[in-house]
Amino acid sequence: DAKTTQPPSMDCAEGRAANLPCNHSTISGNEYVYWYRQIHSQGPQYIIHGLKNNETNEMASLIITEDRKSSTLILPHATLRDTAVYYCIVRVGGLTGGGNKLTFGTGTQLKVEL
Amino acid sequence: ETGVTQSPTHLIKTRGQQVTLRCSSQSGHNTVSWYQQALGQGPQFIFQYYREEENGRGNFPPRFSGLQFPNYSSELNVNALELDDSALYLCASSHPGNYGYTFGSGTRLTVV
């Protein structure tokens, strides 16, 4: 699996948009970009994933550059409960199973403050 | 719809002992993965089970072993515990037709 690079920490004011960047310059054509987050003392939580088009769901938006070498996770209106470690992961294929593991880095610690 | 449940939540063992951790997968999920998360690090993949067989393994020694049962629940067994095995052990379930994994809250293992 390709490796990703994320800033170790970021701060965001409550109510503002949180934009979390991720570099994945060696991503292959069949690798998807996934985002998970881990709130303290809990297991990671799936947020969103994409291949090359921008994606949006009820939690966040994912913007992938045209060359696919980087992406940005956007939390449009961050709240205190969004304080967590956010992991950007690239992996082959879009479906689970077949030993298709998740390779986590150290992620970005997002702190949302009043 | 129930999520992934793990037991116990906390455990203290002595070096050299054996431990068994348990995981009940989310309803409808037939694939279970186990991860080890050391303090301050991201989770590291241990192995994955699908239809009761191991179908993927990370860089962990053979003393880490597992089982998956017909009801898709799973166990992680660690023999000859070492101090470095102290970590949060996470179980994740999925269905091959899904895109995401559902994680449990983990078992905190402390080896003394």
Side-chain angles (χ1 to χ4, degrees), chain A residues 10 12 17-18 20-21 30 35 51 69 87:
Chain A
M10 292 184 65
C12 179
L20 292 91
N30 61 348
W35 283 83
L51 182 62
K69 293 185 177 181
Y87 296 100

Side-chain angles (χ1 to χ4, degrees), chain B residues 32-106:
Chain B
V32 174
S33 306
W34 286 91
Y35 289 78
Q36 180 195 66
Q37 186 173 24
L39 203 60
Q41 302 296 316
Q44 300 298 306
F45 176 74
I46 302 175
F47 44 55
Q48 177 171 290
Y49 279 82
Y50 172 62
R51 291 185 175 177
E52 302 177 54
E53 291 197 2
E54 184 182 298
N55 73 342
R57 190 177 182 91
N59 188 26
F60 282 81
R63 59 189 185 84
F64 286 78
S65 62
L67 284 173
Q68 186 181 31
F69 301 99
N71 66 353
Y72 306 133
S73 65
S74 177
E75 287 182 356
L76 165 65
N77 299 291
V78 187
N79 294 322
L81 283 167
E82 301 176 359
L83 297 179
D84 286 348
D85 295 333
S86 294
L88 180 68
Y89 287 85
L90 295 160
C91 171
S93 74
S94 63
H95 187 283
N98 290 352
Y99 291 93
Y101 291 86
T102 302
F103 282 81
S105 295

